[in-house]
Amino acid sequence: MAAKQGIPSSALRVLEEALGMDLTAAGDTAESVAAEGAYYLEQVTITEASEDDYEYEEIPDDNFSIPEGEEDLAKAIQMVQEQATDTQILEQKTVLPSKQLIPEVIEDFLCNFLIKMGMTRTLDCFQSECKAREDLLKTQKERDFHRMHHKRIVQEKNKLINDLKGLKLHYASYEPALRVLHEKHHTLLKQKMLTSLERDRAVGQISGLQATLKHMEIGHNYHASEIRVPNSEKENAPEGPTQKGLREAREKTKCKTRIKDNKKDSEFPTDMQQNPNLYLCKENIGPAKFDYKLNNIFRLHELPVSCIIMHPRKDILVTCGEDRLWKLVGLPKGNVLLTGFGHTDWLSNCCFHPSGNKLATSSGDTTVKLWDLSKGNCILTFEGHSHAVWSCTWHSCGDFVASSSLDTTSKIWDVNSERCRYTLYGHTDSVNSIEFFPCSNTLLTGSADKSLSVWDARTGNCEQSLYGHMHSINDATFTPRGHMIASCDACGVTKLWDFRKLLPIVSIDIGPSPGNEVNFDSSGRVLAQASGSGVIHLLDLKSGQIHKLMGHESEAHTVVFSHDGEYLFSGGSDGTVRTWS
């Protein structure tokens, strides 16, 4: 049989020539065994060609491969730094010894030969080695690529570190300049304040001189009118109705002028009485209340409610609305006792006289009006602001009213002499809030220029400014004891300030809805904030917890506590006043 004749010598010769190996002896042995009718497989080791002749083409980059055995980060960084300084070496390509590849024809021949001889296990081993060699080459290429990528990342990291160090040095060089500019800014503010004071003093002197000249002219005219030229014909002539009306009008004008001239400016009190709220706060030792529930809804205005205040002694409150009306409301039924007409634009704020028998209101018509609550009529109107008036407040002595306006100024009005005593300059934007410190001559203003200012009402000077808000301040108020200030801004941030040290205590972000108004309860332990989202926030100053009252269907503009703290009243943009108990 042909299968028993052994391997032909011609095939062995071809295999010997292809592999470069001496297979003749093996062929003779095979023939001798074939003659005996047996087959056997001789183990032949096919060595892999050396990689010394293989050439790697480096990826065009500023980096280079790390030799095997030196995969250390510190050494890699050192090599990258050395390579960065030598541009010529970077341009050179690294040429590695090329690897002698086995031609594909020989591989195909060997595979066909093994298949023909039925050596399936040898064929599988050969093919596995070929595949392993291909995987090894692929892995080596991937290794070189990742090494390149690693060196590139290291180089970028070093560059970023150097840039960061440079930026830090650059920023440090600006700190002295910023410090100098900050000092110059404060110096300019002081100079500006001094200039404003000198201007106010000059304006006051001019006003005094004009008033003196006016009084001299009025006195001269009055004395001249008393000197009569005897004329019997004119005296005996009958007086017509027109002449009679003119004469009566002149007499009324003279009477009013004499009365006004006789009014003197009020004096600011020097010996102020002690704040009565100090004793009330000590007596009120009960637990603070936070579990308010919506009790009643009073629809009092057709347009949004802008302000709610409590009567200083009675269970009565006053509401102001954008419908140009203020209403005196009895509690707990909410019946309207009195309605005030007179303003020609929306009302922004109101404040009770310390005795509770008068009311001051501020309006968008640029005026401040004083009302007699016993009769319900307007008794005095202060005109002087050039834009809308946002807020007003009474002095504890009852002789002065202060107002703040969109025209960036505040004014102190004398109720007795019916004139403006001081105009407070210093804010650079709308002054949204103003309030007298309890039982003192100190004023607090909050402005859209993000600052609070403390003023001496006796001189009209700004004593201190508080900075910290990042947005327009909508409202600011004192605690009943007067030792702390609360303020809220247009982004819902509420800040507490130590009034004795004039330093911030804490900042609470209840935004992003704006905080429209803040008010303390009578104990000073609970702070209420009316939010633009319609939520009433109650802040426990002892624990720092925030409680929410949900009930308004739209924006909440104002909030106030009852004197005993059992009730809370809030006004919204829907024209309603809500009672919480």
Side-chain angles (χ1 to χ4, degrees):
M1 295 176 64
K4 293 183 180 181
Q5 292 178 359
I7 301 174
S9 60
S10 60
L12 291 174
R13 191 178 299 109
V14 174
L15 184 60
E16 179 181 358
E17 293 176 357
L19 297 177
M21 295 181 296
D22 189 6
L23 301 179
T24 307
D28 295 338
T29 305
E31 288 179 356
S32 63
V33 174
E36 298 175 0
Y39 295 95
Y40 74 95
L41 177 63
E42 181 182 3
Q43 181 177 1
V44 178
T45 303
I46 303 175
T47 60
E48 185 179 359
S50 174
E51 296 183 0
D52 295 337
D53 297 334
Y54 184 77
E55 180 179 354
Y56 290 94
E57 290 189 3
E58 188 180 8
I59 299 174
D61 190 24
D62 293 337
N63 301 299
F64 53 88
S65 298
I66 301 175
E68 294 184 12
E70 295 183 4
E71 297 181 5
D72 183 73
L73 181 60
K75 293 182 179 180
I77 294 174
Q78 183 180 1
M79 294 175 67
V80 169
Q81 292 176 351
E82 292 176 356
Q83 188 68 11
T85 59
D86 194 354
T87 56
Q88 295 180 356
I89 297 177
L90 287 173
E91 296 176 356
Q92 296 179 359
K93 292 185 178 180
T94 304
V95 179
L96 301 177
S98 61
K99 182 180 73 171
Q100 183 177 0
L101 297 176
I102 301 176
E104 295 181 359
V105 177
I106 297 176
E107 292 182 0
D108 294 340
F109 173 76
L110 292 175
C111 291
N112 293 331
F113 175 76
L114 296 175
I115 292 171
K116 183 177 180 182
M117 299 305 298
M119 301 178 179
T120 56
R121 294 177 61 187
T122 306
L123 177 64
D124 293 340
C125 293
F126 178 75
Q127 290 179 343
S128 299
E129 290 180 359
C130 293
K131 185 177 179 182
R133 184 171 62 251
E134 293 176 357
D135 293 341
L136 176 62
L137 293 175
K138 183 178 179 182
T139 304
Q140 289 176 348
K141 291 181 180 179
E142 291 179 354
R143 179 199 63 187
D144 292 340
F145 172 77
H146 288 298
R147 286 177 179 174
M148 292 282 191
H149 184 66
H150 171 71
K151 290 193 293 291
R152 186 183 298 111
I153 294 299
V154 170
Q155 186 178 6
E156 292 177 356
K157 183 195 74 172
N158 294 332
K159 183 180 178 182
L160 290 176
I161 291 174
N162 293 330
D163 293 343
L164 184 60
K165 291 180 180 178
L167 289 175
K168 287 182 179 180
L169 295 175
H170 187 65
Y171 173 74
S173 65
Y174 276 105
E175 287 186 353
L178 291 175
R179 194 180 301 109
V180 172
L181 291 176
H182 190 65
E183 293 176 356
K184 289 182 178 179
H185 174 69
H186 280 288
T187 304
L188 291 175
L189 285 179
K190 291 180 180 178
Q191 293 178 356
K192 177 184 175 183
M193 186 62 63
L194 293 175
T195 305
S196 300
L197 294 176
E198 292 177 359
R199 180 188 61 185
D200 294 343
R201 190 179 296 109
V203 171
Q205 292 176 356
I206 293 172
S207 301
L209 292 174
Q210 290 178 348
T212 304
L213 291 174
K214 187 176 181 181
H215 293 165
M216 293 175 63
E217 292 176 358
I218 292 173
H220 177 74
N221 294 333
Y222 174 71
H223 290 297
S225 63
E226 290 181 348
I227 301 174
R228 294 185 179 181
V229 177
N231 190 341
S232 58
E233 294 181 358
K234 289 185 178 181
E235 289 180 356
N236 297 330
E239 187 178 25
T242 304
Q243 294 176 350
K244 184 178 180 181
L246 290 174
R247 180 174 55 80
E248 292 177 353
R250 289 194 196 99
E251 292 176 355
K252 291 181 179 179
T253 304
K254 290 178 182 178
C255 293
K256 289 182 179 180
T257 304
R258 292 173 188 172
I259 294 172
K260 191 172 183 180
D261 292 340
N262 292 331
K263 292 182 178 179
K264 297 182 180 180
D265 289 338
S266 303
E267 296 293 335
F268 283 94
T270 55
D271 298 330
M272 299 297 297
Q273 62 179 354
Q274 194 171 6
N275 186 0
N277 292 318
L278 293 174
Y279 303 103
L280 293 176
C281 292
K282 291 179 181 178
E283 294 174 0
N284 189 0
I285 57 175
K289 182 176 180 179
F290 299 99
D291 55 343
Y292 290 95
K293 303 295 182 183
L294 184 61
N295 185 22
N296 209 341
I297 300 177
F298 304 138
R299 186 167 296 277
L300 300 175
H301 295 272
E302 296 180 357
L303 293 177
V305 179
S306 56
C307 176
I308 300 175
I309 58 169
M310 291 293 301
H311 192 278
R313 294 180 179 84
K314 302 178 182 178
D315 289 335
I316 296 174
L317 59 83
V318 170
T319 64
C320 294
E322 295 185 8
D323 54 2
R324 308 177 184 179
L325 304 176
W326 60 266
K327 295 186 178 183
L328 190 68
V329 181
L331 298 175
K333 296 182 180 180
N335 51 317
V336 178
L337 305 177
L338 189 64
T339 301
F341 304 87
H343 282 288
T344 59
D345 209 335
W346 43 267
L347 270 70
S348 58
N349 198 6
C350 60
C351 183
F352 272 110
H353 187 275
S355 64
N357 56 7
K358 295 178 183 178
L359 183 73
T361 57
S362 58
S363 170
D365 60 9
T366 73
T367 66
V368 176
K369 290 182 179 292
L370 305 185
W371 307 80
D372 186 354
L373 296 181
S374 61
K375 299 178 181 178
N377 57 345
C378 178
I379 58 176
L380 187 58
T381 300
F382 292 120
E383 299 178 353
H385 285 291
S386 58
H387 290 86
V389 183
W390 288 120
S391 182
C392 61
T393 179
W394 281 93
H395 192 284
S396 57
C397 69
D399 294 331
F400 301 95
V401 174
S403 60
S404 62
S405 170
L406 181 63
D407 60 8
T408 73
T409 67
S410 301
K411 290 181 181 292
I412 300 175
W413 309 90
D414 193 326
V415 178
N416 293 323
S417 62
E418 301 178 5
R419 73 182 187 93
C420 177
R421 291 287 295 273
Y422 296 104
T423 299
L424 311 182
Y425 298 95
H427 287 293
T428 59
D429 207 335
S430 171
V431 187
N432 298 329
S433 172
I434 190 167
E435 183 173 333
F436 271 107
F437 183 81
C439 301
S440 77
N441 297 314
T442 302
L443 266 174
L444 173 68
T445 57
S447 171
D449 63 7
K450 311 171 189 176
S451 69
L452 298 170
S453 293
V454 179
W455 309 79
D456 188 344
R458 296 168 296 182
T459 61
N461 296 336
C462 179
E463 301 295 334
Q464 185 72 31
S465 293
L466 305 177
Y467 301 95
H469 279 281
M470 304 300 294
H471 305 278
S472 169
I473 298 175
N474 290 338
D475 190 35
T477 185
F478 291 101
T479 57
R481 295 176 58 189
H483 67 290
M484 193 161 51
I485 299 171
S487 59
C488 62
D489 64 21
C491 278
V493 176
T494 298
K495 285 184 175 290
L496 298 178
W497 311 78
D498 188 337
F499 182 62
R500 291 167 294 189
K501 298 180 181 179
L502 295 176
L503 294 174
I505 300 175
V506 68
S507 179
I508 306 105
D509 189 355
I510 320 179
S513 299
N516 294 323
E517 186 176 290
V518 286
N519 261 315
F520 289 95
D521 68 342
S522 58
S523 67
R525 293 179 296 174
V526 182
L527 177 67
Q529 184 214 55
S531 172
S533 62
V535 180
I536 305 297
H537 296 94
L538 300 179
L539 174 62
D540 185 354
L541 300 185
K542 185 176 181 180
S543 64
Q545 294 183 352
I546 299 175
H547 305 266
K548 296 183 180 181
L549 303 182
M550 315 287 289
H552 279 279
E553 299 176 355
S554 56
E555 186 173 0
H557 286 171
T558 179
V559 61
V560 66
F561 289 93
S562 62
H563 297 302
D564 57 3
E566 293 296 324
Y567 291 90
L568 185 143
F569 306 95
S570 59
S573 60
D574 55 358
T576 62
V577 173
R578 296 171 190 262
T579 305
W580 309 79
S581 62

